[in-house]
Amino acid sequence: MDIRIDHPFWLLVLVPIVVYMIFTWRTVQRKTTRSALLFTLRSASILFLVAALVSPFLVLYNEEEQILFLADRSASTSSTSEEIDAFIEQSLRSKKVDQTVGLYSFAGDFRTDASLTKEQVRIPEVESLGEVGDTDIEKALSLANAIGSQESAKRIVLLTDGLQTRGDALSYLEKSTDSRVQIDVAQLNHQTFPDAALTKLDVPRTAYAGQQQLMTIEVNASDRTTGTLHLYQDDRPLGEESIELIPGENQFTYPLPAVDAGLVKYEAKLVVENDHFLENNRMFAAVTVQGQPSVLVVETDDHPSVIPGLLDQNTLNVVTLQAKDLPSTLSGYLPYQAIIFDNVPGTVVGEEKMALIEQTVKNFGTGFMMTGGTDSFGLGGYFKTPIETLLPVEMEVKGKEELPSLGLVITMDRSGSMSGSKLALAREAAARSVDLLREKDTFGFTAFDDSIWEVVPVGPLDDKKDVTEKILSVPAAGGTNIFPSVAKAYEDLADLSLQRKHVILLTDGQSPMPAGYLEIIEEAKSNNTTLSTVGIGSDADQSLLEAMAVAGGGRYYGVSDESTVPAILSRETITMTRTYIEDDPFYMKLGNIAEWNELFAKGIPQMNAYIATTAKQTADVAAISPKEDPILAEWKYGLGRTVAFTSDSSGKWSGELAAWEKYPEFWNTAMTRILPSYSSAPYVLTQSAGGKFTITDTSGEAAFLEVSAVTESGEEIDVMEDQTSPGKTNISLEAAPGLVYISVTDDQNRLFETGVTIPYGEEYRPKEPNEDLLAAIAKETGGRVLNNPKEAFRSLPYRGEERRSITTWLLLGSLLLFFADITLRRFSRFAPVVRKKLTVNGLETGGQTSVTELLKQKRKR
């Protein structure tokens, strides 16, 4: 045991205190036993107080030793798993009784494989870590230092190739203050595998429509080999070429075909036999092509669009596409400056594609317009979807006349095959249906596997929040038995006096049906209870579900895209709960938007019908119906503008408007309202290491920049900006390797769009182990570079220490001594007495008479 102090400089205070105390003692005229005792007490109290200021503590030693094995499981060491396990296994044979051991893995993240224990440890079978594309030795050492007792001696055995791609392990150790942690390193000698990697894909950032461009590709190869280079434009094959590679850099140049205006994505993919790292075989680039704006008109087979024939083909490049063929990546929408949904149901589009369109409008300024019809707006299932978010109107009609009574029962398959996204989307769909109901409506929710689970009993919808929570908590388990839940729904609704009663069945499977089940469904239909069915995935019994829907007087939905399920249930619920179609002939009343007012300056044609919606609070309403429902509404959403036209384009609802001589001008006016009005920005974007870029304003006019970034899947990512000088901004993107689209706007109303590649990490570049770093880590902490696994459990050169502060005890002692001093001075038997004869007013007293007695005698006299 030792005694140590933390703040020795406080000992200097003793110098003036000692001088003062000596001086005080010497000035005492009469040194008695009492005065000596009081002086000693006061001096001890002060001494204890100064001792407390230096923060003394006891050091208690312990013999426990902690040995932590830290194994690098990153991509660069993927071939060394057996080497790691063999090293640890041999080391464990030398473990001593008083040593604890723990096993840990790291890459970009950290994982515990076996917690610290004194027992014998068996090497577990380990799975791949989540961030194998990085090696963060600094983070691993920091977390390992925090493991176990901080009062015991510790050794970290670091098994790695030293190729760190994040952090700085050596700088961390140089700043570390813990001298009782020793780090040994064991170098992993991974095998050298043949590898070829794409290192550069270069295309011009901007171009003009019809202009031919050149693509430059660089490939780094470790050996002489052959391969195939595949090129893609907007996910469509451009061609492929067999190439010969020599060790080192190889460069290839290809001419690219002329394209129309928009943001065009290019991809290069390298295929080489026996290639070690596949992650470094793809690169992306994007080109902003300036020219004639492109407009995408989306239609369906049931409702072919007339809009392409009405738009000005001389100034616009118009493309028509079926809703079922909409792109599933962001790059499929960026070539277009405007998108029109012409009576397109959300049940075909799906929420994932809607989310991509929402990002295109919000972050890249693409315009969007939706027209009315029997499959659009609320009737199309767009309630609470990303499309509703970007439009200037809400799907739900507020303050309208509704049906007097409704009963809805949803019966949902919760079998094991529904686990994952199927069940999550089905639950979300049911919850949205609850939002569309009134609290006086009747609602029930049943889940089934091979049994029936009554989650929400059929009854008045009193508490929407509670019902929604119950629906969202349904788990997946069990088999599939469909019809008992449907039969129960019919039974629960049979005796209720409601104007409309409807059952919705969702399932992804098959099951045997009882005899006469179709007759039961038809009988329920005759009693005013209809049935719609939703078959999710290819395993669902499509024929059975369609037959049930036909017999039940409802609709059948065969779903291959799970993300369309919420739109389907929203559409079903809306159809049952409200009358959305307003079909009385009417004339629009115009608002205060000059462009639309000028178009209708000479008169407004009569129209037949529209879908009722509710204008959002900040929307600009260009025209309303006599019932004050929006017919034309627009607003700005992010960088883009959107328009809602709640009548149709075909003439069935729009009536005389479709026969009007200015009808083509109506649609071209709509295009001018939604096409981007930004001018081209003179920006240059250069890339440095990883996801770091520099944006330079060559005009020097921008006071500030606003930068947004979105991945191919439509996920918005954080952008860290740092303006280093006027007109120059550094940005950093934290994203997985791949293509990221960037849009930049400024205070001059200029827009710059491009795509950049977040490159694969250094982890996927074949390199030799960093021996210098490993040796430096060992030297900094007094460790060794291990060649013999048994050395991992050699005795540590120091013992564990436990600190116990005694400051509190010293303060308490000082306080007790101080009170003892005061007590002895004021209340003890040593109170002041007169020790010699005194004469007071002629009266002589004895030597032991107190002053008090003298005063008494004087008064008597």
Side-chain angles (χ1 to χ4, degrees), residues 336-357:
Y336 304 104
Q337 284 69 57
I339 301 171
I340 302 175
F341 270 25
D342 190 10
N343 197 16
V344 173
T347 55
V348 176
V349 179
E351 297 220 7
E352 292 178 359
K353 295 175 182 178
M354 294 186 203
L356 293 173
I357 294 172

PDB file of all heavy atoms in Angstrom, residues 336-357:
ATOM      1  N   TYR A 336     -36.293  14.133 -66.265  1.00  0.00           N
ATOM      2  CA  TYR A 336     -37.515  14.875 -66.600  1.00  0.00           C
ATOM      3  C   TYR A 336     -37.613  16.149 -65.761  1.00  0.00           C
ATOM      4  O   TYR A 336     -37.322  16.151 -64.566  1.00  0.00           O
ATOM      5  CB  TYR A 336     -38.752  14.004 -66.364  1.00  0.00           C
ATOM      6  CG  TYR A 336     -38.702  12.700 -67.132  1.00  0.00           C
ATOM      7  CD1 TYR A 336     -38.398  11.504 -66.488  1.00  0.00           C
ATOM      8  CD2 TYR A 336     -38.929  12.674 -68.504  1.00  0.00           C
ATOM      9  CE1 TYR A 336     -38.334  10.309 -67.191  1.00  0.00           C
ATOM     10  CE2 TYR A 336     -38.856  11.485 -69.218  1.00  0.00           C
ATOM     11  CZ  TYR A 336     -38.563  10.305 -68.557  1.00  0.00           C
ATOM     12  OH  TYR A 336     -38.479   9.126 -69.265  1.00  0.00           O
ATOM     13  N   GLN A 337     -38.071  17.214 -66.414  1.00  0.00           N
ATOM     14  CA  GLN A 337     -38.289  18.482 -65.708  1.00  0.00           C
ATOM     15  C   GLN A 337     -39.717  18.591 -65.169  1.00  0.00           C
ATOM     16  O   GLN A 337     -39.997  19.470 -64.348  1.00  0.00           O
ATOM     17  CB  GLN A 337     -37.999  19.661 -66.637  1.00  0.00           C
ATOM     18  CG  GLN A 337     -36.514  19.925 -66.872  1.00  0.00           C
ATOM     19  CD  GLN A 337     -35.844  18.835 -67.687  1.00  0.00           C
ATOM     20  OE1 GLN A 337     -36.264  18.528 -68.809  1.00  0.00           O
ATOM     21  NE2 GLN A 337     -34.801  18.232 -67.139  1.00  0.00           N
ATOM     22  N   ALA A 338     -40.623  17.724 -65.614  1.00  0.00           N
ATOM     23  CA  ALA A 338     -41.997  17.728 -65.111  1.00  0.00           C
ATOM     24  C   ALA A 338     -42.585  16.331 -65.256  1.00  0.00           C
ATOM     25  O   ALA A 338     -42.244  15.596 -66.199  1.00  0.00           O
ATOM     26  CB  ALA A 338     -42.858  18.748 -65.857  1.00  0.00           C
ATOM     27  N   ILE A 339     -43.464  15.969 -64.311  1.00  0.00           N
ATOM     28  CA  ILE A 339     -44.133  14.665 -64.313  1.00  0.00           C
ATOM     29  C   ILE A 339     -45.629  14.909 -64.142  1.00  0.00           C
ATOM     30  O   ILE A 339     -46.041  15.689 -63.271  1.00  0.00           O
ATOM     31  CB  ILE A 339     -43.616  13.764 -63.167  1.00  0.00           C
ATOM     32  CG1 ILE A 339     -42.099  13.539 -63.314  1.00  0.00           C
ATOM     33  CG2 ILE A 339     -44.349  12.433 -63.145  1.00  0.00           C
ATOM     34  CD1 ILE A 339     -41.468  12.846 -62.111  1.00  0.00           C
ATOM     35  N   ILE A 340     -46.446  14.240 -64.973  1.00  0.00           N
ATOM     36  CA  ILE A 340     -47.911  14.366 -64.883  1.00  0.00           C
ATOM     37  C   ILE A 340     -48.510  12.986 -64.617  1.00  0.00           C
ATOM     38  O   ILE A 340     -48.228  12.034 -65.362  1.00  0.00           O
ATOM     39  CB  ILE A 340     -48.509  14.943 -66.182  1.00  0.00           C
ATOM     40  CG1 ILE A 340     -47.888  16.312 -66.501  1.00  0.00           C
ATOM     41  CG2 ILE A 340     -50.022  15.057 -66.068  1.00  0.00           C
ATOM     42  CD1 ILE A 340     -48.347  16.880 -67.845  1.00  0.00           C
ATOM     43  N   PHE A 341     -49.307  12.875 -63.564  1.00  0.00           N
ATOM     44  CA  PHE A 341     -50.094  11.669 -63.289  1.00  0.00           C
ATOM     45  C   PHE A 341     -51.505  11.919 -63.816  1.00  0.00           C
ATOM     46  O   PHE A 341     -52.240  12.714 -63.248  1.00  0.00           O
ATOM     47  CB  PHE A 341     -50.155  11.386 -61.786  1.00  0.00           C
ATOM     48  CG  PHE A 341     -49.033  10.512 -61.278  1.00  0.00           C
ATOM     49  CD1 PHE A 341     -47.821  10.436 -61.947  1.00  0.00           C
ATOM     50  CD2 PHE A 341     -49.190   9.754 -60.129  1.00  0.00           C
ATOM     51  CE1 PHE A 341     -46.796   9.628 -61.482  1.00  0.00           C
ATOM     52  CE2 PHE A 341     -48.173   8.952 -59.646  1.00  0.00           C
ATOM     53  CZ  PHE A 341     -46.972   8.886 -60.327  1.00  0.00           C
ATOM     54  N   ASP A 342     -51.867  11.240 -64.913  1.00  0.00           N
ATOM     55  CA  ASP A 342     -53.180  11.454 -65.521  1.00  0.00           C
ATOM     56  C   ASP A 342     -54.111  10.305 -65.139  1.00  0.00           C
ATOM     57  O   ASP A 342     -54.106   9.244 -65.776  1.00  0.00           O
ATOM     58  CB  ASP A 342     -53.042  11.570 -67.045  1.00  0.00           C
ATOM     59  CG  ASP A 342     -54.337  12.032 -67.708  1.00  0.00           C
ATOM     60  OD1 ASP A 342     -55.271  12.435 -66.982  1.00  0.00           O
ATOM     61  OD2 ASP A 342     -54.402  11.990 -68.948  1.00  0.00           O
ATOM     62  N   ASN A 343     -54.892  10.511 -64.075  1.00  0.00           N
ATOM     63  CA  ASN A 343     -55.864   9.516 -63.591  1.00  0.00           C
ATOM     64  C   ASN A 343     -55.177   8.164 -63.335  1.00  0.00           C
ATOM     65  O   ASN A 343     -55.594   7.123 -63.837  1.00  0.00           O
ATOM     66  CB  ASN A 343     -57.011   9.359 -64.597  1.00  0.00           C
ATOM     67  CG  ASN A 343     -58.224   8.668 -63.965  1.00  0.00           C
ATOM     68  OD1 ASN A 343     -58.334   8.567 -62.739  1.00  0.00           O
ATOM     69  ND2 ASN A 343     -59.131   8.181 -64.806  1.00  0.00           N
ATOM     70  N   VAL A 344     -54.113   8.217 -62.545  1.00  0.00           N
ATOM     71  CA  VAL A 344     -53.297   7.040 -62.241  1.00  0.00           C
ATOM     72  C   VAL A 344     -53.576   6.600 -60.805  1.00  0.00           C
ATOM     73  O   VAL A 344     -53.445   7.410 -59.883  1.00  0.00           O
ATOM     74  CB  VAL A 344     -51.795   7.359 -62.417  1.00  0.00           C
ATOM     75  CG1 VAL A 344     -50.937   6.199 -61.929  1.00  0.00           C
ATOM     76  CG2 VAL A 344     -51.491   7.678 -63.863  1.00  0.00           C
ATOM     77  N   PRO A 345     -53.948   5.337 -60.577  1.00  0.00           N
ATOM     78  CA  PRO A 345     -54.221   4.889 -59.202  1.00  0.00           C
ATOM     79  C   PRO A 345     -52.934   4.656 -58.422  1.00  0.00           C
ATOM     80  O   PRO A 345     -51.953   4.100 -58.933  1.00  0.00           O
ATOM     81  CB  PRO A 345     -54.989   3.582 -59.409  1.00  0.00           C
ATOM     82  CG  PRO A 345     -54.532   3.076 -60.730  1.00  0.00           C
ATOM     83  CD  PRO A 345     -54.252   4.292 -61.566  1.00  0.00           C
ATOM     84  N   GLY A 346     -52.938   5.056 -57.161  1.00  0.00           N
ATOM     85  CA  GLY A 346     -51.801   4.791 -56.296  1.00  0.00           C
ATOM     86  C   GLY A 346     -51.605   3.316 -56.024  1.00  0.00           C
ATOM     87  O   GLY A 346     -50.513   2.888 -55.652  1.00  0.00           O
ATOM     88  N   THR A 347     -52.658   2.531 -56.228  1.00  0.00           N
ATOM     89  CA  THR A 347     -52.557   1.085 -56.005  1.00  0.00           C
ATOM     90  C   THR A 347     -51.653   0.408 -57.022  1.00  0.00           C
ATOM     91  O   THR A 347     -51.231  -0.726 -56.822  1.00  0.00           O
ATOM     92  CB  THR A 347     -53.960   0.457 -56.078  1.00  0.00           C
ATOM     93  OG1 THR A 347     -54.559   0.809 -57.326  1.00  0.00           O
ATOM     94  CG2 THR A 347     -54.837   0.977 -54.955  1.00  0.00           C
ATOM     95  N   VAL A 348     -51.336   1.102 -58.114  1.00  0.00           N
ATOM     96  CA  VAL A 348     -50.404   0.568 -59.116  1.00  0.00           C
ATOM     97  C   VAL A 348     -48.999   1.124 -58.894  1.00  0.00           C
ATOM     98  O   VAL A 348     -48.004   0.426 -59.103  1.00  0.00           O
ATOM     99  CB  VAL A 348     -50.885   0.906 -60.542  1.00  0.00           C
ATOM    100  CG1 VAL A 348     -49.870   0.448 -61.587  1.00  0.00           C
ATOM    101  CG2 VAL A 348     -52.242   0.270 -60.813  1.00  0.00           C
ATOM    102  N   VAL A 349     -48.918   2.356 -58.418  1.00  0.00           N
ATOM    103  CA  VAL A 349     -47.623   3.027 -58.289  1.00  0.00           C
ATOM    104  C   VAL A 349     -46.823   2.470 -57.112  1.00  0.00           C
ATOM    105  O   VAL A 349     -45.659   2.097 -57.253  1.00  0.00           O
ATOM    106  CB  VAL A 349     -47.816   4.547 -58.136  1.00  0.00           C
ATOM    107  CG1 VAL A 349     -46.471   5.243 -57.973  1.00  0.00           C
ATOM    108  CG2 VAL A 349     -48.570   5.112 -59.332  1.00  0.00           C
ATOM    109  N   GLY A 350     -47.415   2.414 -55.929  1.00  0.00           N
ATOM    110  CA  GLY A 350     -46.696   1.954 -54.743  1.00  0.00           C
ATOM    111  C   GLY A 350     -45.957   3.088 -54.057  1.00  0.00           C
ATOM    112  O   GLY A 350     -45.525   4.050 -54.685  1.00  0.00           O
ATOM    113  N   GLU A 351     -45.802   2.962 -52.744  1.00  0.00           N
ATOM    114  CA  GLU A 351     -45.242   4.061 -51.951  1.00  0.00           C
ATOM    115  C   GLU A 351     -43.749   4.266 -52.175  1.00  0.00           C
ATOM    116  O   GLU A 351     -43.240   5.374 -52.020  1.00  0.00           O
ATOM    117  CB  GLU A 351     -45.525   3.832 -50.464  1.00  0.00           C
ATOM    118  CG  GLU A 351     -46.992   3.817 -50.147  1.00  0.00           C
ATOM    119  CD  GLU A 351     -47.321   4.521 -48.845  1.00  0.00           C
ATOM    120  OE1 GLU A 351     -46.427   5.130 -48.250  1.00  0.00           O
ATOM    121  OE2 GLU A 351     -48.480   4.445 -48.442  1.00  0.00           O
ATOM    122  N   GLU A 352     -43.025   3.233 -52.529  1.00  0.00           N
ATOM    123  CA  GLU A 352     -41.590   3.410 -52.735  1.00  0.00           C
ATOM    124  C   GLU A 352     -41.325   4.318 -53.930  1.00  0.00           C
ATOM    125  O   GLU A 352     -40.467   5.207 -53.878  1.00  0.00           O
ATOM    126  CB  GLU A 352     -40.916   2.051 -52.931  1.00  0.00           C
ATOM    127  CG  GLU A 352     -40.930   1.199 -51.666  1.00  0.00           C
ATOM    128  CD  GLU A 352     -40.295  -0.154 -51.889  1.00  0.00           C
ATOM    129  OE1 GLU A 352     -39.859  -0.432 -53.030  1.00  0.00           O
ATOM    130  OE2 GLU A 352     -40.233  -0.940 -50.925  1.00  0.00           O
ATOM    131  N   LYS A 353     -42.065   4.141 -55.012  1.00  0.00           N
ATOM    132  CA  LYS A 353     -41.898   4.999 -56.186  1.00  0.00           C
ATOM    133  C   LYS A 353     -42.446   6.403 -55.915  1.00  0.00           C
ATOM    134  O   LYS A 353     -41.908   7.389 -56.406  1.00  0.00           O
ATOM    135  CB  LYS A 353     -42.574   4.370 -57.398  1.00  0.00           C
ATOM    136  CG  LYS A 353     -41.917   3.055 -57.834  1.00  0.00           C
ATOM    137  CD  LYS A 353     -42.659   2.367 -58.955  1.00  0.00           C
ATOM    138  CE  LYS A 353     -41.996   1.042 -59.318  1.00  0.00           C
ATOM    139  NZ  LYS A 353     -42.728   0.313 -60.381  1.00  0.00           N
ATOM    140  N   MET A 354     -43.521   6.470 -55.134  1.00  0.00           N
ATOM    141  CA  MET A 354     -44.029   7.791 -54.749  1.00  0.00           C
ATOM    142  C   MET A 354     -42.973   8.569 -53.972  1.00  0.00           C
ATOM    143  O   MET A 354     -42.810   9.783 -54.159  1.00  0.00           O
ATOM    144  CB  MET A 354     -45.286   7.652 -53.892  1.00  0.00           C
ATOM    145  CG  MET A 354     -46.499   7.078 -54.578  1.00  0.00           C
ATOM    146  SD  MET A 354     -47.928   7.147 -53.463  1.00  0.00           S
ATOM    147  CE  MET A 354     -48.968   5.850 -54.146  1.00  0.00           C
ATOM    148  N   ALA A 355     -42.248   7.887 -53.085  1.00  0.00           N
ATOM    149  CA  ALA A 355     -41.213   8.548 -52.292  1.00  0.00           C
ATOM    150  C   ALA A 355     -40.091   9.068 -53.179  1.00  0.00           C
ATOM    151  O   ALA A 355     -39.534  10.155 -52.935  1.00  0.00           O
ATOM    152  CB  ALA A 355     -40.656   7.581 -51.246  1.00  0.00           C
ATOM    153  N   LEU A 356     -39.742   8.332 -54.233  1.00  0.00           N
ATOM    154  CA  LEU A 356     -38.721   8.799 -55.163  1.00  0.00           C
ATOM    155  C   LEU A 356     -39.171  10.056 -55.899  1.00  0.00           C
ATOM    156  O   LEU A 356     -38.394  10.999 -56.085  1.00  0.00           O
ATOM    157  CB  LEU A 356     -38.384   7.697 -56.167  1.00  0.00           C
ATOM    158  CG  LEU A 356     -37.695   6.448 -55.609  1.00  0.00           C
ATOM    159  CD1 LEU A 356     -37.592   5.381 -56.697  1.00  0.00           C
ATOM    160  CD2 LEU A 356     -36.308   6.787 -55.077  1.00  0.00           C
ATOM    161  N   ILE A 357     -40.433  10.080 -56.307  1.00  0.00           N
ATOM    162  CA  ILE A 357     -40.965  11.262 -56.994  1.00  0.00           C
ATOM    163  C   ILE A 357     -40.979  12.460 -56.052  1.00  0.00           C
ATOM    164  O   ILE A 357     -40.647  13.589 -56.444  1.00  0.00           O
ATOM    165  CB  ILE A 357     -42.379  10.964 -57.549  1.00  0.00           C
ATOM    166  CG1 ILE A 357     -42.298   9.904 -58.646  1.00  0.00           C
ATOM    167  CG2 ILE A 357     -43.041  12.241 -58.067  1.00  0.00           C
ATOM    168  CD1 ILE A 357     -43.634   9.397 -59.123  1.00  0.00           C
TER     169      ILE A 357
END
